[in-house]
Amino acid sequence: ASLHKSLLREPIVPILVLILHQSEGFTFECAIFALSCLSHHDAFKPMLIDKGLPAIISIILGGKLYSPNVANEACRTICNVSYMHREAYSMVASGHLILAMRAIYHGGICTTDSSILLVLAMRNMSELLAARQYLIEQNGFTLLVEIIRDFSANKFHCSIIYSAAITMIFNLA
């Protein structure tokens, strides 16, 4: 039997969310990394959107992220679940996701890799017509411009950011 099938039968995401809220240090970091790993598999994405993403947003806005490496894994989780852009409306409608992305960006824990993941997530969410207005109203476009301004030094990273930005701008136009 596949390990994924075994994990799907267990409440793994709610357990990791509980660990996120009740721990700190190494255990907290392990929970973030585990959610990031689960976000690579389509079978876990609906549960991550429903339970995991709100928990990650909560810990970001609660100031619990303190390490660029851990913040990068939170950004990776957000980016990976954003590929289910049909769910983008539920991701951005509350207004907290873009706020959390801004908190990472302005909190001094955003790396070049994190910035790429944030731009890719916004690009993916902009694919859904219903989510576009929320991205604009919540200053997602402003965040995009800030990232382009601050992370344009590396040509490789720059090409990824510009490509995603062009798609996002096209979608929002």
Side-chain angles (χ1 to χ4, degrees):
S2 168
L3 179 60
H4 297 130
K5 290 179 183 176
S6 298
L7 286 175
L8 279 170
R9 287 192 300 265
E10 302 299 328
I12 189 74
V13 173
I15 290 169
L16 290 170
V17 167
L18 182 67
I19 291 170
L20 280 179
H21 289 299
Q22 294 185 350
S23 67
E24 50 190 52
F26 182 72
T27 306
F28 170 79
E29 291 178 12
C30 287
I32 291 281
F33 277 77
L35 288 171
S36 176
C37 289
L38 292 176
S39 72
H40 289 276
H41 303 283
D42 289 340
F44 294 103
K45 288 180 182 178
M47 180 62 76
L48 285 167
I49 290 170
D50 186 42
K51 303 268 190 253
L53 201 55
I56 289 174
I57 291 168
S58 173
I59 61 143
I60 293 168
L61 296 178
K64 214 171 167 183
L65 286 183
Y66 51 85
S67 159
N69 289 336
V70 178
N72 192 51
E73 292 307 312
C75 291
R76 187 175 321 284
T77 304
I78 292 167
C79 182
N80 286 338
V81 299
S82 75
Y83 281 97
M84 292 190 68
H85 56 78
R86 289 178 297 284
E87 303 293 332
Y89 178 80
S90 67
M91 289 186 232
V92 297
S94 72
H96 297 166
L97 179 59
I98 300 297
L99 184 61
M101 293 168 121
R102 295 184 70 78
I104 287 175
Y105 183 72
H106 292 291
I109 54 176
C110 188
T111 65
T112 304
D113 289 340
S114 298
S115 67
I116 289 171
L117 294 166
L118 294 176
V119 171
L120 290 173
M122 289 189 293
R123 178 209 57 196
N124 294 342
M125 289 182 280
S126 75
E127 293 288 332
L128 184 67
L129 183 62
R132 293 176 188 164
Q133 189 63 34
Y134 288 103
L135 285 168
I136 293 168
E137 290 171 359
Q138 296 167 21
N139 295 317
F141 184 75
T142 304
L143 178 59
L144 173 69
V145 171
E146 291 170 348
I147 290 171
I148 290 171
R149 179 193 65 212
D150 295 340
F151 287 100
S152 293
N154 182 310
K155 289 182 183 179
F156 173 73
H157 293 111
C158 190
S159 66
I160 297 170
I161 289 174
Y162 286 167
S163 174
I166 289 168
T167 303
M168 181 179 166
I169 291 167
F170 177 79
N171 289 339
L172 296 178

